[in-house]
Each structure stands twice: as structure tokens, then as C-alpha cells.
Amino acid sequence: MGNAKSLSREKMSSKFLPEEQDEVDRLFDDLSSNNDGSATGTFSLEALKSHVKEALPPVMVTRLYNGMSRVKTTHKAHESYRNVSREQFTMFLSHLLKGSFEEKGHMVMKMILATEAPVTVREVQKFTEELVASLVHVLTHQHELRGWAGRNSRESPTSVQMMTAQLLSEMKFQDGHKCLGPQCLDQVCNKTMIEDWVFHAPHVGTFLSVVIHRGLQLLNSSLDLSTLIPECHVGRGQHFESILDVLSVIYLNSHLGVEQRHRWRLLFSTQLHGQSFTQLCSHIIHQGPSLLVLEDKDGCVFGGFASCSWEVKPQFQGNNKCFLFSIMPSMAVYMHTGYNDHFMYLNQGQQTMPNGLGMGGQHHYFGLWVADDFGKGHSKAKPTCTTYNSPQLSAQEDFQFDNMEVWGLGDLLQRHQVKNKKSILDSDPAAQSMLEISGRGRHSGGLREIPDEDD
């Protein structure tokens, strides 16, 4: 009778659908069947490590186990064991995968410390860093980076630390100020703070979900990575090494519209297309929303999201969905302030207006500027860009760069494809007239002629 009563309470605590609960039960049965001295109907840390093998770092397996073992059960008999019972296993997983942010936060608290001691920001930072590293580990182990190999130097502790710092920046203390800088590390975090953090930093729950689904090989069919990590589409069968690594891509992708998250199409790269502003223009116009990324010669990585197709014209374009961002030395996104509508600017070949690509600010004082004299630019902000409230993104106000890439986001819609059949010259009637007066043809380095009507 006692066992039947316990099982009834387990089902009440589970948030899984019946078929999902069956899979959870099968995994528990596999773990508890390992004859390693565990009490009947429980499993040990060694059993969990044996099941996970190389799919997760050992430190994260221990974190998961500690969280499970600290779940308060309705079956008092289990509380005398260090091993994990079925009820603890089910409650822990169902609350982390399907619970409210309060329930997820409660489970995260149990993972951070295996004792009842107060949790400090330092312990939260350590947990977060291990979680981010485990995410990269499990995605790499399962070959699910979706084409984002990135540079070897970017798959480094530095990248993990940048994502960790970004996640921690979402934590707020009771007085409302955010957790910023090493001076906060020894401050105590209560349960409400952790729950609020899990709510305002949804990547914490998402990363835990990936770690559990892929690391424990549980309920894999219910996890769709396509909105977390876009497919990297380069084309031409060429090997390409992006400025971005998978963590940077995940961070930027989370700020895009849902329809733009499943695929990124490489439109332009200095690796493939050379150091040419004309090539840049010819590859990015009429391609729909895009993301441009630069790396200056001091190692800073930054860029901007263009919510509309680029067009060559001497006016500002775009809308308030555009933003600027930084990846290195810190991850941050800077949104529209409402001060002006200087979202995007792309111009070439005119004497009276600036020639180059810009986002935010004003002429000669852009938040991000790439000059038509390719390889040079500026990021001016005293103290911030008026359009996006962004600080100086580059190491130097006037910077030089060798690496730049532009990604088309989502699928290219038919209306963009039709526009792209036209030459850049079609957006500049004055340039067309000058060519006709001079008797020169419509050829231009890196640009196309207008196709025949029959094409």
C-alpha cells in the first residue's frame, strides 16, 4: 500500500505527458538496474556517469545528480538515502523541462550548491560557466553545431566567459541594480533572485534543456534546435571559417524574428570575396534582412542587424527593428532609442554625400561606419550613439579591419529575388544618365548588367 501511495504522488508531481513519462521511467529503470550497491529503486552518481559517458563533462553530470538528490520527496523513506529515487528523478526533470520559471529556479538552486549554505553570485557564476561549456560540449559531441565550426580560437574559454558574463548581467538584486562586475561576486542570492534570473535570462533554461535532452538522451524528439542554432549556409562547397562561434550565433539569433532564426545565408565575406566595397554592395543589396559582422585589428567583434534589404541610395533606410551589437570583448545588443530614424545607410559613387555603409548616428558620425575605401571605418559615441544608445564598438574610434561578413537571414523571399535581378545602377538614376551621356556601357566591376526581358 505504501508503495502504491508513493507512485500515485509521483504521477501527480510529473508534468510529462503519458508517453513522455514512460520514457522517463524507462531511463530511470536503466539507471537503477545498475548493480552498484544502490538501494532498491534508486541510482547512484556512478550509474549516471556510466550512462552519460562522454556526452557531458563530469562536472555537469555531478551538478545534475546533486540537483536530483536534493529534491524533497513525499516518500520519507527515500530521504535517508544519498541515491536518487524515481520520485526525485521525475520531479527534477519535469520541473526543469516543463515547469514555471519559479520551479526551474528552484531546481537551479539545488544544482548550484549541494548543501543548505547561502548561494553567492560567485557560485552562480561558476554554475553558469559550467552550463555554457557543457552546452558547447554536448552540441559538439552530438555533431549538432549545424555548420558553425568557427575558429578554433573562438571555441575557447574566452567565448564561454563572455556568454557567462552576459547571462549574469540579467541578474538583479533586491534593490533593483544588476549584477555587474567582480564587486558583486560575494553577495548572497536568495531564492527569489534566482527565480527572477531564470525568467529574465531564458537561455539558462534553454541550455539546461539541451544538456538534459542530448546529454541524458531523453525525449530527444521534443527538442528542436532550429530556432536556437540557425543552419549555416555558405554554398559553393567552399570551406569557410566564420568570425562567429556557435555561442555568438546563439546569442545573436535570439534577438531575431522567429522567421529569421532557422537559416543564415552567407552573402559576403572578405575571405571569399576580397577587400572590395563594390563587391560588398553587389552581394548584399535586395537580399532581405541581414546581419553584418566585423572584426577590427585589435580583436573587437561587433556589427549590426539590418531589418530590411540594403539599397544603394543617399538616404537613410530601415526601421526600428534594426540594432547594433558587440560580441568581443563583451556580448551586448543595442536597440533603437526613438531619437531619430538613422537606422541604415548605404551609398556609393556620389560627390556630395558620404560613400560607405553606416548604421546609427549621423553623417560622418555613425555608430558603425564602413568606408568605401574598404578596410577602414569608425564607431563614434560621445557618450553613446543617438540612434541605438550604443557605446564605441571598436577598440579605436577610427578602426581598420581585414575581416567582415554579411549574413542573409531566413529564406530569401521572392520579392527580394525579383529586385536582385536589377543592377545597383538602377537605384541611382543620375549615375545611369551620366553613363548614357558619356556613351559608356552599363558594365561595372563586380556588378551585373540588367538582364534581357526574355531572361
Side-chain angles (χ1 to χ4, degrees):
M1 285 293 292
N3 188 47
K5 188 175 181 180
S6 174
L7 289 175
S8 174
R9 286 175 176 171
E10 288 170 27
K11 295 298 182 184
M12 288 177 63
S13 69
S14 174
K15 300 175 183 295
F16 294 119
L17 298 173
E19 59 272 20
E20 294 173 331
Q21 185 62 54
D22 288 343
E23 189 175 336
V24 171
D25 287 339
R26 283 195 297 272
L27 176 55
F28 178 83
D29 290 340
D30 289 342
L31 291 170
S32 60
S33 66
N34 189 338
N35 189 13
D36 60 355
S38 301
T40 303
T42 67
F43 67 84
S44 66
L45 174 59
E46 289 69 27
L48 186 61
K49 286 183 176 179
S50 177
H51 171 78
V52 173
K53 296 184 173 63
E54 302 298 322
L56 286 175
V59 66
M60 183 50 60
V61 181
T62 302
R63 290 273 190 193
L64 291 170
Y65 184 84
N66 287 341
M68 297 171 189
S69 66
R70 294 191 66 209
V71 171
K72 300 294 184 181
T73 65
T74 57
H75 195 349
K76 301 296 183 183
H78 288 316
E79 294 184 4
S80 61
Y81 299 122
R82 179 71 176 89
N83 298 323
V84 173
S85 70
R86 185 186 299 271
E87 185 179 5
Q88 289 174 311
F89 186 65
T90 298
M91 287 179 64
F92 178 80
L93 294 178
S94 67
H95 286 181
L96 262 188
L97 297 179
K98 292 188 169 253
S100 64
F101 67 88
E102 291 98 340
E103 291 167 329
K104 289 181 181 180
H106 190 50
M107 295 300 111
V108 167
M109 282 283 283
K110 295 180 182 301
M111 293 179 67
I112 292 174
L113 278 185
T115 68
E116 296 297 333
V119 173
T120 66
V121 175
R122 192 180 304 277
E123 276 89 31
V124 178
Q125 181 189 53
K126 183 172 173 54
F127 162 77
T128 308
E129 191 167 305
E130 291 171 3
L131 174 61
V132 174
S134 296
L135 173 78
V136 177
H137 178 102
V138 73
L139 291 174
T140 303
H141 184 268
Q142 300 294 345
H143 306 289
E144 293 190 277
L145 295 177
R146 294 172 62 82
W148 294 100
R151 302 182 185 180
N152 291 332
S153 61
R154 298 251 177 246
E155 299 292 352
S156 67
T158 301
S159 181
V160 171
Q161 290 162 8
M162 292 303 99
M163 177 62 86
T164 299
Q166 195 284 319
L167 291 174
L168 282 181
S169 71
E170 298 298 330
M171 180 177 286
K172 290 184 179 180
F173 294 99
Q174 288 183 317
D175 61 5
H177 80 272
K178 287 195 171 186
C179 174
L180 300 172
Q183 67 274 12
C184 298
L185 292 179
D186 293 321
Q187 296 197 40
V188 174
C189 304
N190 59 27
K191 179 174 175 288
T192 302
M193 277 182 61
I194 297 296
E195 292 171 354
D196 183 72
W197 177 55
V198 171
F199 175 75
H200 285 99
H203 271 145
V204 174
T206 301
F207 292 176
L208 279 168
S209 179
V210 175
V211 163
I212 291 171
H213 282 290
R214 294 299 193 256
L216 302 187
Q217 289 297 299
L218 178 69
L219 303 174
N220 273 323
S221 61
S222 65
L223 180 65
D224 181 11
L225 293 177
S226 63
T227 57
L228 180 70
I229 313 171
E231 174 192 349
C232 176
H233 184 74
V234 175
R236 298 185 180 181
Q238 297 188 29
H239 172 73
F240 176 72
E241 201 172 71
S242 176
I243 298 171
L244 301 171
D245 72 345
V246 68
L247 291 177
S248 305
V249 170
I250 287 172
Y251 175 66
L252 293 173
N253 208 42
S254 67
H255 291 84
L256 304 177
V258 174
E259 70 282 0
Q260 299 161 353
R261 294 182 184 178
H262 67 284
R263 175 182 295 174
W264 290 14
R265 301 168 284 109
L266 185 65
L267 303 179
F268 172 83
S269 166
T270 48
Q271 288 184 45
L272 302 180
H273 305 112
Q275 301 274 343
S276 169
F277 190 77
T278 297
Q279 284 288 331
L280 171 66
C281 292
S282 68
H283 281 88
I284 70 173
I285 62 167
H286 306 314
Q287 292 291 327
S290 61
L291 198 80
L292 63 93
V293 187
L294 296 101
E295 180 182 31
D296 69 18
K297 291 194 174 182
D298 293 295
C300 291
V301 178
F302 51 92
F305 165 63
S307 60
C308 306
S309 283
W310 289 99
E311 295 184 33
V312 178
K313 60 183 181 181
Q315 295 90 32
F316 283 98
Q317 50 196 291
N319 59 40
N320 61 11
K321 294 181 181 179
C322 297
F323 59 78
L324 292 178
F325 63 84
S326 169
I327 293 296
M328 296 287 282
S330 63
M331 289 184 177
V333 163
Y334 306 99
M335 310 300 292
H336 173 234
T337 63
Y339 183 83
N340 58 37
D341 59 358
H342 297 175
F343 308 113
M344 302 160 51
Y345 178 89
L346 181 64
N347 199 22
Q348 185 181 27
Q350 291 207 4
Q351 295 181 351
T352 58
M353 301 293 289
N355 293 311
L357 181 152
M359 295 189 71
Q362 57 190 1
H363 294 318
H364 310 295
Y365 205 90
F366 285 90
L368 173 59
W369 174 254
V370 175
D372 64 342
D373 182 7
F374 203 77
K376 299 178 182 178
H378 70 241
S379 177
K380 297 187 178 181
K382 293 187 185 300
T384 60
C385 169
T386 54
T387 310
Y388 298 111
N389 200 34
S390 55
Q392 180 179 304
L393 302 173
S394 49
Q396 309 294 328
E397 186 174 83
D398 294 296
F399 63 85
Q400 295 183 338
F401 67 93
D402 292 324
N403 299 318
M404 179 179 180
E405 53 199 49
V406 182
W407 296 89
L409 306 172
D411 296 318
L412 181 60
L413 300 179
Q414 187 175 5
R415 66 175 179 269
H416 298 312
Q417 291 176 312
V418 170
K419 287 183 178 180
N420 200 38
K421 291 181 180 179
K422 299 180 180 181
S423 165
I424 285 179
L425 297 175
D426 291 322
S427 63
D428 190 352
Q432 293 182 41
S433 300
M434 289 300 296
L435 284 174
E436 292 169 1
I437 292 171
S438 65
R440 297 168 62 188
R442 292 175 57 100
H443 297 279
S444 179
L447 306 181
R448 299 186 302 274
E449 283 193 281
I450 296 180
D452 296 330
E453 293 291 333
D454 296 333
D455 288 350

